[in-house]
Amino acid sequence: MRTILATQIRMELLLTARRGEAVVLAMGVPLLVLLGAGLFDVTNLPTEDRLGYVVPGVLALTVMSTAFTGQAITTGYERSYGVLKRLGASPLTRPGLLLAKTAAVLVQIVAQVLVLALVGLAVGWRPEAGALLPALGVTVLAAAGYSGLALLLASVLKPETTTGAATLIYVVMLSVGGIMFGAPDLGAAGWFLLPLAAHAEALRETLMHGGSVPAGIWLALVAWAVLWPAVAARKFRWE
């Protein structure tokens, strides 16, 4: 089983590399937000440390863009083209496919986050280095939750509908997800409804202030990381 999973992960990464323009596009909006809002007074922020505030939000946005929007659209069309149907005839199980896709997305996210972080450092961002571990933890949870929801949508909706739904959710989260403004303490239930805001706030608490992640955010992101992959594994369809 490990060999099958490793092979599928390599295949997912290879397919991602062949869609290089999609990867660049997925980073385009976050990079523009980072440079525009981080270096120029295009909007009012609740702090004078513009980069310290903007970069964590941009990193959270990148995770959602890749793990949710890109994953949902790509998988939806793979099902439409019969790719998943052929995989269903192989020894690869449904949980195995979902795990492989999520693992490949995590690898892609690591590369994208490193690029954006290096750009941020180059233009003056100075994060709290001691807060990297909790920042990594919430990022993995957020990515797993986004990936699970993306795979669920791609399985139960038509590709065109999946594209529309994923794009709509992305735009809504971008608008109210706390990328350019702070969100109040919403509690676990509120953070669950706004995972992008929860992730961005967690990264600010750690990377900007060196503080701890609020318990409500941990609960919300753990719930996302458990619920959506579990539902996706149960409801996933090969065709």
Side-chain angles (χ1 to χ4, degrees):
M1 186 62 183
R2 290 182 180 178
T3 302
I4 296 174
L5 280 176
T7 300
Q8 185 60 32
I9 291 172
R10 285 196 297 270
M11 180 58 66
E12 295 289 340
L13 291 173
L14 178 61
L15 292 174
T16 297
R18 291 178 177 176
R19 298 190 298 266
E21 70 283 355
V23 176
V24 173
L25 183 61
M27 292 186 63
V29 173
L31 185 58
L32 288 175
V33 173
L34 188 157
L35 295 176
L39 299 179
F40 304 99
D41 296 331
V42 295
T43 183
N44 293 325
L45 298 178
T47 176
E48 294 183 358
D49 184 5
R50 299 191 67 86
L51 286 169
Y53 192 88
V54 169
V55 173
V58 166
L59 297 180
L61 179 63
T62 301
V63 172
M64 181 179 182
S65 176
T66 299
F68 175 68
T69 312
Q71 178 88 297
I73 294 172
T74 299
T75 306
Y77 279 102
E78 285 178 348
R79 184 163 69 92
S80 175
Y81 297 151
V83 175
L84 299 186
K85 182 179 179 180
R86 289 193 290 271
L87 287 174
S90 72
L92 186 67
T93 63
R94 287 188 301 175
L97 175 64
L98 303 185
L99 179 59
K101 283 187 169 293
T102 300
V105 159
L106 285 172
V107 172
Q108 182 180 339
I109 286 172
V110 167
Q112 291 174 314
V113 166
L114 283 176
V115 170
L116 290 170
L118 288 174
V119 171
L121 291 171
V123 297
W125 178 49
R126 296 295 179 264
E128 294 287 340
L132 292 180
L133 190 59
L136 177 62
V138 294
T139 298
V140 170
L141 291 175
Y146 286 138
S147 182
L149 180 57
L151 294 169
L152 175 62
L153 291 180
S155 173
V156 300
L157 300 177
K158 294 180 179 179
E160 298 80 5
T161 307
T162 300
T163 299
T167 302
L168 176 61
I169 293 173
Y170 177 82
V171 171
V172 171
M173 285 293 178
L174 179 60
S175 302
V176 301
I179 300 303
M180 300 303 299
F181 54 87
D185 187 353
L186 303 174
W191 291 126
F192 181 84
L193 295 176
L194 294 174
L196 180 59
H199 189 197
E201 186 67 18
L203 293 182
R204 289 191 184 107
E205 285 294 328
T206 55
L207 298 177
M208 184 179 180
H209 303 297
S212 59
V213 178
I217 291 180
W218 278 118
L219 289 173
L221 294 180
V222 166
W224 265 72
V226 172
L227 175 63
W228 296 122
V231 176
R234 184 179 180 84
K235 299 293 185 180
F236 189 81
R237 297 183 300 172
W238 297 102
E239 55 182 312

